[in-house]
Coordinates of all heavy atoms in Angstrom, one line a residue:
M1145 N 169.2 85.8 119.7 CA 168.8 87.2 119.4 C 167.5 87.2 118.6 O 167.3 86.4 117.6 CB 169.9 87.9 118.7 CG 169.5 89.3 118.4 SD 171.0 90.3 117.9 CE 170.2 91.7 117.2
A1146 N 166.6 88.1 118.9 CA 165.4 88.1 118.2 C 165.6 88.7 116.8 O 166.6 89.3 116.5 CB 164.4 89.1 118.9
N1147 N 164.6 88.3 115.9 CA 164.7 88.8 114.6 C 164.1 90.3 114.5 O 162.9 90.5 114.7 CB 163.8 88.0 113.7 CG 164.6 87.3 112.6 OD1 165.8 87.7 112.3 ND2 164.1 86.3 111.9
L1148 N 165.0 91.2 114.4 CA 164.6 92.6 114.4 C 164.3 93.1 113.0 O 165.0 92.7 112.1 CB 165.7 93.5 115.1 CG 166.1 93.0 116.5 CD1 167.2 93.9 117.0 CD2 164.9 93.0 117.4
P1149 N 163.3 93.9 112.9 CA 162.9 94.4 111.6 C 164.0 95.4 111.1 O 164.7 96.1 111.9 CB 161.6 95.2 111.9 CG 161.7 95.6 113.3 CD 162.5 94.5 114.0
S1150 N 164.1 95.5 109.8 CA 165.0 96.5 109.3 C 164.2 97.6 108.7 O 163.1 97.4 108.3 CB 165.9 95.9 108.2 OG 165.1 95.2 107.2
G1151 N 164.8 98.8 108.7 CA 164.1 99.9 108.1 C 163.1 100.6 109.0 O 162.4 101.5 108.6
L1152 N 163.0 100.1 110.3 CA 162.1 100.7 111.2 C 162.9 101.4 112.3 O 164.1 101.0 112.5 CB 161.2 99.7 111.9 CG 160.1 99.1 111.0 CD1 159.3 98.0 111.8 CD2 159.1 100.1 110.5
H1153 N 162.4 102.3 113.0 CA 163.1 103.0 114.0 C 163.0 102.1 115.3 O 161.9 101.8 115.8 CB 162.5 104.4 114.3 CG 163.2 105.1 115.5 ND1 164.4 105.6 115.3 CD2 162.8 105.2 116.8 CE1 164.8 106.1 116.5 NE2 163.8 105.9 117.4
I1154 N 164.1 101.6 115.7 CA 164.2 100.8 116.9 C 164.8 101.5 118.1 O 165.9 102.2 117.9 CB 165.0 99.5 116.6 CG1 164.4 98.7 115.4 CG2 165.1 98.6 117.8 CD1 165.2 97.5 115.0
T1155 N 164.2 101.4 119.2 CA 164.9 101.9 120.4 C 165.3 100.8 121.3 O 164.7 99.7 121.3 CB 163.9 102.8 121.2 OG1 162.7 102.1 121.5 CG2 163.5 104.1 120.5
Y1156 N 166.4 101.0 122.0 CA 167.0 99.9 122.8 C 167.0 100.3 124.2 O 167.2 101.4 124.6 CB 168.4 99.6 122.3 CG 168.5 99.0 121.0 CD1 168.9 99.9 119.9 CD2 168.3 97.7 120.8 CE1 169.0 99.3 118.6 CE2 168.4 97.1 119.5 CZ 168.7 98.0 118.4 OH 168.8 97.4 117.2
Q1157 N 166.6 99.3 125.1 CA 166.6 99.5 126.5 C 167.3 98.4 127.2 O 167.2 97.2 126.8 CB 165.2 99.7 127.0 CG 164.6 101.0 126.7 CD 163.2 101.2 127.3 OE1 162.9 100.5 128.2 NE2 162.4 102.0 126.6
L1158 N 168.0 98.7 128.3 CA 168.5 97.7 129.2 C 167.5 97.4 130.3 O 167.0 98.4 130.9 CB 169.8 98.2 129.9 CG 171.1 97.8 129.3 CD1 172.2 98.6 130.0 CD2 171.4 96.4 129.3
Q1159 N 167.1 96.2 130.5 CA 166.0 95.9 131.5 C 166.3 94.6 132.2 O 166.9 93.7 131.7 CB 164.7 95.8 130.8 CG 164.2 97.1 130.2 CD 162.9 96.9 129.5 OE1 162.5 95.8 129.1 NE2 162.2 98.0 129.4
Y1160 N 165.8 94.6 133.5 CA 165.7 93.3 134.2 C 164.4 92.7 133.9 O 163.4 93.3 133.7 CB 165.8 93.6 135.7 CG 167.2 94.0 136.2 CD1 167.6 95.3 136.3 CD2 168.2 93.0 136.5 CE1 168.9 95.7 136.7 CE2 169.4 93.4 136.9 CZ 169.8 94.7 137.0 OH 171.0 95.1 137.4
R1161 N 164.4 91.3 133.9 CA 163.2 90.6 133.7 C 163.0 89.5 134.7 O 164.0 88.8 135.0 CB 163.2 90.0 132.3 CG 162.9 91.0 131.1 CD 161.4 91.3 131.0 NE 161.2 92.5 130.2 CZ 160.9 92.5 128.9 NH1 160.7 91.4 128.3 NH2 160.7 93.6 128.3
K1162 N 161.8 89.3 135.1 CA 161.5 88.2 136.0 C 161.1 87.0 135.2 O 160.3 87.1 134.2 CB 160.3 88.6 137.0 CG 160.6 89.9 137.7 CD 160.4 89.7 139.2 CE 160.7 91.0 139.9 NZ 161.1 90.8 141.3
C1163 N 161.6 85.8 135.6 CA 161.3 84.7 134.8 C 160.0 84.0 135.1 O 159.5 83.2 134.4 CB 162.5 83.6 134.9 SG 162.7 83.0 136.6
G1164 N 159.5 84.4 136.3 CA 158.2 83.9 136.7 C 158.2 82.5 137.4 O 157.1 82.1 137.8
K1165 N 159.4 81.9 137.6 CA 159.4 80.7 138.3 C 159.4 81.0 139.8 O 160.2 81.7 140.3 CB 160.7 79.9 138.0 CG 160.8 79.4 136.6 CD 162.1 78.7 136.3 CE 162.3 78.5 134.8 NZ 163.6 78.8 134.4
P1166 N 158.4 80.3 140.5 CA 158.3 80.6 141.9 C 159.5 80.2 142.7 O 159.7 80.8 143.8 CB 157.1 79.7 142.3 CG 156.6 79.1 141.1 CD 157.5 79.4 140.0
S1167 N 160.3 79.3 142.2 CA 161.5 78.8 142.9 C 162.7 79.6 142.6 O 163.8 79.3 143.1 CB 161.7 77.3 142.6 OG 161.9 77.2 141.2
C1168 N 162.6 80.6 141.8 CA 163.8 81.3 141.3 C 164.3 82.3 142.4 O 163.6 83.3 142.7 CB 163.5 82.0 140.0 SG 165.0 83.0 139.5
G1169 N 165.5 82.0 142.9 CA 166.1 82.9 144.0 C 166.5 84.2 143.4 O 166.4 85.2 144.1
T1170 N 166.9 84.3 142.2 CA 167.3 85.5 141.6 C 166.2 86.5 141.5 O 166.4 87.7 141.9 CB 167.8 85.3 140.1 OG1 168.9 84.3 140.2 CG2 168.4 86.6 139.5
C1171 N 165.0 86.1 141.2 CA 163.9 87.0 141.1 C 163.3 87.3 142.5 O 162.8 88.4 142.7 CB 162.8 86.3 140.3 SG 163.2 86.2 138.5
K1172 N 163.5 86.4 143.4 CA 163.0 86.6 144.8 C 163.9 87.7 145.4 O 163.4 88.6 146.1 CB 163.1 85.3 145.6 CG 161.8 85.0 146.4 CD 161.9 83.7 147.0 CE 160.9 82.7 146.3 NZ 161.1 81.3 146.7
R1173 N 165.2 87.6 145.2 CA 166.1 88.6 145.9 C 166.2 89.9 145.2 O 166.6 90.9 145.8 CB 167.5 87.9 146.0 CG 167.6 86.9 147.1 CD 169.1 86.5 147.2 NE 169.7 86.1 146.0 CZ 169.8 84.8 145.5 NH1 169.3 83.9 146.2 NH2 170.3 84.6 144.4
G1174 N 166.0 89.9 143.9 CA 166.3 91.2 143.2 C 165.3 91.5 142.2 O 164.2 91.0 142.2
P1175 N 165.7 92.4 141.3 CA 164.8 92.9 140.2 C 164.5 91.8 139.1 O 163.7 92.1 138.2 CB 165.4 94.1 139.7 CG 166.9 93.9 140.0 CD 167.0 93.1 141.2
G1176 N 165.3 90.7 139.2 CA 165.1 89.8 138.1 C 166.4 89.4 137.4 O 167.5 89.7 138.0
H1177 N 166.3 88.9 136.2 CA 167.5 88.6 135.5 C 168.0 89.7 134.6 O 167.2 90.4 134.0 CB 167.3 87.3 134.6 CG 166.8 86.1 135.5 ND1 167.6 85.2 135.9 CD2 165.5 85.9 135.9 CE1 166.9 84.3 136.6 NE2 165.6 84.7 136.7
G1178 N 169.3 89.8 134.5 CA 169.8 90.9 133.6 C 170.8 91.7 134.2 O 171.4 91.3 135.2
P1179 N 171.0 92.9 133.8 CA 170.2 93.5 132.7 C 170.5 93.0 131.4 O 171.6 92.7 131.0 CB 170.5 95.0 132.8 CG 171.9 95.0 133.4 CD 172.0 93.8 134.3
Y1180 N 169.5 92.9 130.5 CA 169.6 92.5 129.2 C 169.1 93.6 128.3 O 168.2 94.4 128.7 CB 168.8 91.2 128.9 CG 169.2 90.0 129.7 CD1 168.3 89.4 130.5 CD2 170.6 89.6 129.6 CE1 168.7 88.3 131.3 CE2 170.9 88.5 130.4 CZ 170.0 87.9 131.2 OH 170.4 86.8 132.0
W1181 N 169.6 93.6 127.1 CA 169.1 94.6 126.1 C 167.8 94.1 125.4 O 167.7 92.9 125.0 CB 170.2 94.8 125.0 CG 171.3 95.6 125.5 CD1 172.5 95.2 125.9 CD2 171.4 97.1 125.5 NE1 173.3 96.3 126.3 CE2 172.6 97.4 126.0 CE3 170.5 98.1 125.1 CZ2 173.0 98.8 126.2 CZ3 170.8 99.4 125.3 CH2 172.1 99.7 125.8
Y1182 N 166.9 95.0 125.3 CA 165.7 94.7 124.5 C 165.5 95.8 123.5 O 165.8 96.9 123.7 CB 164.4 94.7 125.5 CG 164.4 93.5 126.4 CD1 165.1 93.5 127.6 CD2 163.8 92.3 126.0 CE1 165.1 92.4 128.4 CE2 163.8 91.2 126.8 CZ 164.5 91.3 128.0 OH 164.5 90.2 128.8
A1183 N 164.9 95.3 122.4 CA 164.6 96.3 121.3 C 163.1 96.5 121.2 O 162.3 95.6 121.5 CB 165.1 95.7 119.9
Y1184 N 162.8 97.7 121.0 CA 161.3 98.1 120.8 C 161.1 98.8 119.5 O 161.9 99.6 119.1 CB 160.9 99.0 122.0 CG 160.9 98.3 123.3 CD1 162.0 98.2 124.1 CD2 159.7 97.8 123.7 CE1 161.9 97.6 125.3 CE2 159.6 97.1 124.9 CZ 160.7 97.0 125.7 OH 160.7 96.3 126.9
W1185 N 160.0 98.5 118.9 CA 159.7 99.2 117.7 C 158.2 99.1 117.5 O 157.5 98.3 118.1 CB 160.4 98.5 116.5 CG 160.0 97.2 116.1 CD1 159.0 96.8 115.2 CD2 160.5 95.9 116.7 NE1 158.9 95.4 115.2 CE2 159.8 94.9 116.1 CE3 161.5 95.7 117.7 CZ2 160.0 93.5 116.4 CZ3 161.7 94.3 118.0 CH2 161.0 93.3 117.4
R1186 N 157.7 99.9 116.6 CA 156.3 100.0 116.3 C 156.0 99.3 115.0 O 156.6 99.5 114.0 CB 155.8 101.4 116.2 CG 155.5 102.0 117.6 CD 154.8 103.3 117.6 NE 154.5 103.7 119.0 CZ 153.6 103.1 119.7 NH1 152.7 102.3 119.2 NH2 153.5 103.5 121.0
E1187 N 154.9 98.5 115.0 CA 154.4 97.9 113.8 C 152.9 98.4 113.7 O 152.1 97.8 114.4 CB 154.5 96.4 113.8 CG 155.8 95.9 113.3 CD 155.9 94.4 113.3 OE1 154.9 93.7 113.3 OE2 157.1 93.9 113.4
G1188 N 152.7 99.4 112.9 CA 151.4 100.0 112.9 C 151.1 100.6 114.3 O 151.9 101.4 114.8
A1189 N 150.0 100.1 114.9 CA 149.6 100.7 116.2 C 150.3 99.8 117.3 O 150.1 100.2 118.5 CB 148.1 100.7 116.4
K1190 N 150.9 98.7 117.0 CA 151.4 97.8 118.0 C 152.9 98.1 118.4 O 153.7 98.3 117.5 CB 151.3 96.4 117.5 CG 150.0 95.7 117.7 CD 150.1 94.2 117.4 CE 148.7 93.6 117.5 NZ 148.7 92.4 116.6
L1191 N 153.1 98.1 119.7 CA 154.5 98.2 120.1 C 155.0 96.8 120.3 O 154.5 96.0 121.0 CB 154.5 98.9 121.5 CG 155.9 99.2 122.0 CD1 156.7 100.1 121.2 CD2 155.9 99.7 123.5
R1192 N 156.1 96.5 119.5 CA 156.7 95.2 119.6 C 158.0 95.2 120.3 O 158.6 96.3 120.4 CB 156.9 94.6 118.2 CG 155.7 94.7 117.3 CD 154.7 93.7 117.7 NE 155.2 92.4 117.7 CZ 155.3 91.5 116.6 NH1 154.9 91.9 115.5 NH2 155.8 90.3 116.8
S1193 N 158.4 94.1 120.9 CA 159.7 94.1 121.5 C 160.4 92.8 121.2 O 159.8 91.8 120.9 CB 159.6 94.3 123.0 OG 158.9 93.2 123.6
G1194 N 161.7 92.8 121.3 CA 162.5 91.7 121.1 C 163.7 91.6 122.0 O 164.3 92.6 122.3
Y1195 N 164.0 90.4 122.4 CA 165.2 90.2 123.3 C 166.4 90.3 122.4 O 166.6 89.7 121.4 CB 165.0 88.8 123.9 CG 166.2 88.4 124.7 CD1 166.5 89.0 125.9 CD2 167.1 87.4 124.3 CE1 167.6 88.6 126.7 CE2 168.2 87.0 125.0 CZ 168.4 87.6 126.2 OH 169.5 87.2 127.0
V1196 N 167.4 91.1 122.9 CA 168.7 91.2 122.2 C 169.7 90.4 122.9 O 170.4 89.6 122.3 CB 169.1 92.7 122.1 CG1 170.4 92.8 121.4 CG2 168.0 93.5 121.3
G1197 N 169.9 90.6 124.2 CA 170.9 89.8 124.9 C 171.7 90.7 125.9 O 171.4 91.9 126.1
K1198 N 172.8 90.1 126.4 CA 173.6 90.8 127.4 C 174.5 91.8 126.8 O 174.8 92.8 127.4 CB 174.5 89.7 128.1 CG 174.1 89.6 129.6 CD 175.1 88.7 130.3 CE 175.1 88.8 131.7 NZ 173.9 88.9 132.5
T1199 N 174.9 91.6 125.5 CA 175.8 92.5 124.9 C 175.0 93.5 124.1 O 174.0 93.2 123.6 CB 176.8 91.8 123.9 OG1 176.0 90.9 123.1 CG2 177.8 91.1 124.7
Q1200 N 175.5 94.7 124.1 CA 174.8 95.8 123.5 C 174.7 95.6 122.0 O 175.6 95.1 121.3 CB 175.4 97.2 123.8 CG 176.7 97.4 122.9 CD 177.4 98.6 123.4 OE1 177.8 98.8 124.5 NE2 177.6 99.6 122.5
P1201 N 173.5 96.0 121.4 CA 173.3 95.8 120.0 C 174.3 96.6 119.2 O 174.8 97.7 119.6 CB 171.9 96.4 119.8 CG 171.3 96.5 121.1 CD 172.4 96.7 122.1
V1202 N 174.6 96.1 118.0 CA 175.6 96.7 117.1 C 175.0 98.0 116.5 O 173.8 98.0 116.2 CB 175.9 95.7 115.9 CG1 176.9 96.4 115.0 CG2 176.5 94.4 116.5
G1203 N 175.8 99.0 116.5 CA 175.3 100.2 115.8 C 174.5 101.2 116.7 O 174.0 102.1 116.2
V1204 N 174.5 100.9 118.0 CA 173.8 101.8 118.9 C 174.7 102.9 119.3 O 175.8 102.6 119.7 CB 173.3 101.0 120.1 CG1 172.6 101.9 121.1 CG2 172.3 99.9 119.7
P1205 N 174.2 104.1 119.2 CA 175.1 105.3 119.5 C 175.5 105.2 121.0 O 174.8 104.7 121.8 CB 174.2 106.5 119.3 CG 173.1 106.0 118.4 CD 172.9 104.5 118.7
A1206 N 176.7 105.6 121.3 CA 177.3 105.6 122.6 C 176.4 106.3 123.6 O 176.3 105.9 124.8 CB 178.7 106.2 122.7
A1207 N 175.8 107.4 123.2 CA 174.9 108.2 124.0 C 173.7 107.4 124.5 O 173.2 107.5 125.6 CB 174.4 109.5 123.3
V1208 N 173.2 106.6 123.6 CA 172.0 105.7 123.9 C 172.4 104.7 124.9 O 171.7 104.4 125.9 CB 171.4 105.1 122.6 CG1 170.4 104.0 123.0 CG2 170.9 106.1 121.7
V1209 N 173.6 104.1 124.7 CA 174.1 103.1 125.6 C 174.3 103.7 127.0 O 173.9 103.1 128.0 CB 175.4 102.5 125.1 CG1 176.0 101.5 126.1 CG2 175.2 101.8 123.8
A1210 N 174.9 104.9 127.1 CA 175.2 105.5 128.3 C 173.9 105.8 129.1 O 173.8 105.7 130.3 CB 176.0 106.8 128.1
R1211 N 172.9 106.3 128.3 CA 171.6 106.6 128.9 C 170.9 105.4 129.5 O 170.4 105.4 130.6 CB 170.7 107.3 127.9 CG 169.7 108.2 128.5 CD 168.8 108.9 127.5 NE 169.6 109.5 126.4 CZ 169.3 109.4 125.1 NH1 168.2 108.8 124.7 NH2 170.0 110.0 124.2
A1212 N 171.0 104.3 128.7 CA 170.4 103.0 129.2 C 171.1 102.5 130.4 O 170.4 102.0 131.3 CB 170.4 102.0 128.0
E1213 N 172.4 102.6 130.4 CA 173.1 102.1 131.6 C 172.9 102.9 132.8 O 172.8 102.4 133.9 CB 174.6 102.0 131.2 CG 175.0 100.9 130.4 CD 176.4 100.8 129.9 OE1 177.1 101.8 130.1 OE2 176.8 99.8 129.4
A1214 N 172.7 104.2 132.6 CA 172.5 105.1 133.8 C 171.1 104.8 134.4 O 170.9 104.8 135.6 CB 172.5 106.5 133.3
K1215 N 170.1 104.5 133.5 CA 168.8 104.2 133.9 C 168.7 102.9 134.7 O 168.0 102.8 135.7 CB 167.9 104.1 132.6 CG 166.4 104.4 132.9 CD 165.7 104.5 131.6 CE 164.2 104.2 131.8 NZ 163.5 103.9 130.6
V1216 N 169.4 101.9 134.2 CA 169.3 100.6 134.8 C 170.0 100.6 136.2 O 169.7 99.7 137.0 CB 169.9 99.5 133.9 CG1 171.4 99.3 134.0 CG2 169.2 98.2 134.1
K1217 N 170.9 101.5 136.4 CA 171.6 101.6 137.7 C 170.7 102.1 138.8 O 171.0 101.9 139.9 CB 172.8 102.5 137.5 CG 174.0 101.8 137.1 CD 175.3 102.7 137.1 CE 176.4 102.0 136.2 NZ 177.0 103.0 135.3
L1218 N 169.6 102.7 138.4 CA 168.6 103.2 139.3 C 167.8 102.0 139.9 O 167.1 102.2 141.0 CB 167.6 104.2 138.7 CG 168.3 105.4 138.1 CD1 167.2 106.3 137.4 CD2 168.9 106.2 139.2
V1219 N 167.8 100.9 139.3 CA 167.2 99.7 139.8 C 168.0 99.2 141.0 O 169.2 98.9 140.8 CB 167.1 98.6 138.7 CG1 166.4 97.3 139.3 CG2 166.3 99.1 137.5
R1220 N 167.3 99.0 142.1 CA 168.0 98.5 143.3 C 168.3 97.0 143.2 O 167.4 96.2 143.1 CB 167.2 98.8 144.5 CG 167.3 100.3 144.9 CD 166.6 100.6 146.2 NE 166.4 102.0 146.3 CZ 167.4 102.8 146.6 NH1 168.6 102.4 146.9 NH2 167.2 104.1 146.7
V1221 N 169.6 96.7 143.3 CA 170.0 95.4 143.3 C 170.6 95.1 144.7 O 171.6 95.7 145.1 CB 171.1 95.1 142.3 CG1 171.5 93.6 142.3 CG2 170.6 95.5 140.9
P1222 N 170.0 94.2 145.5 CA 170.5 94.0 146.8 C 171.9 93.4 146.8 O 172.1 92.5 145.9 CB 169.5 93.0 147.4 CG 168.4 92.9 146.4 CD 168.8 93.4 145.1
A1223 N 172.7 93.8 147.7 CA 174.1 93.3 147.7 C 174.1 91.8 148.3 O 173.2 91.4 149.0 CB 175.0 94.2 148.6
Ligands
ZN128 ZN1 164.2 84.2 137.8

């Protein structure tokens, strides 16, 4: 898990990521690996992000989790 800053407003998102390996069948067939949780926050003018993992971050409101899960379901995963 990435080192997330404390005291900043962090938003969490569930996302698929492509690993970039040309031989990776997972990325070839679908949207990539995941979904995994990522954290986003601002440091000055910069938008930073950090990998969280497969399990949802601690302390995230249920409404945020539900919204993230609903959004990631819109990504088409071939059967
Ligand atoms: Zn891959």
Side-chain angles (χ1 to χ4, degrees):
M1145 178 167 166
N1147 242 345
L1148 303 179
S1150 54
L1152 291 176
H1153 179 73
I1154 300 177
T1155 54
Y1156 292 100
Q1157 283 183 24
L1158 264 174
Q1159 293 179 338
Y1160 287 93
R1161 284 281 165 98
K1162 306 235 181 205
C1163 63
K1165 292 182 193 134
S1167 60
C1168 178
T1170 303
C1171 293
K1172 228 173 251 172
R1173 282 191 306 268
H1177 303 263
Y1180 300 120
W1181 284 97
Y1182 290 87
Y1184 290 88
W1185 68 94
R1186 279 194 178 279
E1187 274 177 24
K1190 273 190 187 153
L1191 182 66
R1192 308 289 305 272
S1193 67
Y1195 173 72
V1196 177
K1198 245 185 160 46
T1199 48
Q1200 77 188 58
V1202 179
V1204 178
V1208 172
V1209 175
R1211 209 180 308 139
E1213 283 175 348
K1215 205 173 154 196
V1216 86
K1217 272 184 196 134
L1218 299 175
V1219 178
R1220 279 183 198 285
V1221 183

